Amino acid sequence: MQKLMMNSRKRIGDFEVIDFVDDERIAKLRQKLDVPSPMEVKWNHWEYGSEMEELRALYEKGKRNQWNASDDLDWETPVSKDEWVGNAGASQIVQILQRMGADEATQKAALFDEMAYVVSQLLHGEQAALQICGQLTNACPTTDEKFYAAQQTADEARHTEVMARFLSEKMGTIYPISPVTKDLLDRLLAADGYHKKTLGMQTLFEGIAMSVLDGLASQMTNSLFVDMIQRVKLDESRHAAFGVLSMRRAVQEISEEERQELEDWAFEILEALNANQQLAMLREIGPKYGVDPERWVRKVLSTEGWNMMNSWMYMHTVMPNLKRLGLVTERTEPRYRELGILSDIRLEQPATG
Ligand SMILES: [Fe+2]
Ligand SMILES: [Fe+2]
């Protein structure tokens, strides 16, 4: 197991964070648009019938649930900075500003910015998903997986379309991609073989997206926003299920050495994501409101019960699915616990679909 992005790490208290602070490096990472990817393109061994019934059923469900971002949403709905766009109690930036004694108009504007930031990160993730699913259509070995990956490619195009439109038309800003996310998504795009790509995108990123979307759906007040998020969420739950159905077979067929390699791969990605602790968001939005990112993160990390709060995002879908796949063992479990990624809430459920 290795730690990723070593040259951007530092300690805040007892916790090791990844904090990109060098503007030049960040700009270079964002301007890197070409990602070489060694890819083995597979024919389906001339088997056109269904070999994975449960995956074919998911594909059928996906066909029935298609929607059109242009026609099915009410784009006339206004979205305003002067109103609470969501639940202030669930917003990190609002909590900070309240402690700093900011007035209500400032808090509303900050919540609006935070939401635009979160949706922007989802948008960039959608673009990566679009590209990785295109790769998976080529790299997966069976017809059912190819059909599903192709269908998901169309879903991800729609998600990219709808979020880009929402941000530019309704919120007025698309924030740039967080450096940690860009680094990790580049790794998925460049990964060799479909196992790492499927695990990384379908199980890890889709699983995290499920928890973020669920959080947004319950916190947001704007009807257009909620409608968009609910529709995207329905698609993403199928994608997370694809990750589990496809990886479940793969994990049974590979050697113990390859299984350990996948276990490490999952750990490295989640550890790096968790090591950012919102620093990217606070560095982007904080300065406008006089917020010191590091000071705040230090405070959060030392809050009592931090592990439990922190693990919510991972325990929602990702960790139950990884556990079910046999990719969390005694090698990684204690480390996940120590990092506040694994806790005892809800380890039995997801897979979704
Ligand atoms: Fe998506
Ligand atoms: Fe997706």
Side-chain angles (χ1 to χ4, degrees), residues 126 129 133 152 155-156 159 201-202 206 209 235-236 239-240:
E126 299 293 353
C133 287
Q152 189 182 332
D155 290 348
E156 305 300 6
H159 298 170
M201 178 45 77
Q202 307 301 113
E206 295 282 357
D235 294 343
E236 302 301 359
H239 304 168

Side-chain angles (χ1 to χ4, degrees), residues 34-91:
D34 297 323
V35 182
S37 178
M39 206 174 60
E40 206 170 301
V41 180
K42 286 187 197 294
W43 286 96
N44 67 351
H45 63 90
W46 318 114
E47 187 50 71
Y48 291 94
S50 175
E51 295 168 274
M52 299 168 79
E53 236 173 82
E54 63 288 12
L55 205 50
R56 187 60 69 102
L58 200 62
Y59 172 69
E60 287 294 334
K61 192 171 172 187
K63 282 195 286 184
R64 286 192 296 272
N65 290 348
Q66 292 296 303
W67 50 283
N68 184 336
S70 307
D71 300 337
D72 295 337
L73 293 176
D74 181 6
W75 289 102
E76 299 301 313
T77 313
V79 183
S80 165
K81 240 182 204 233
D82 302 329
E83 280 160 30
W84 288 113
V85 288
N87 175 5
S91 157

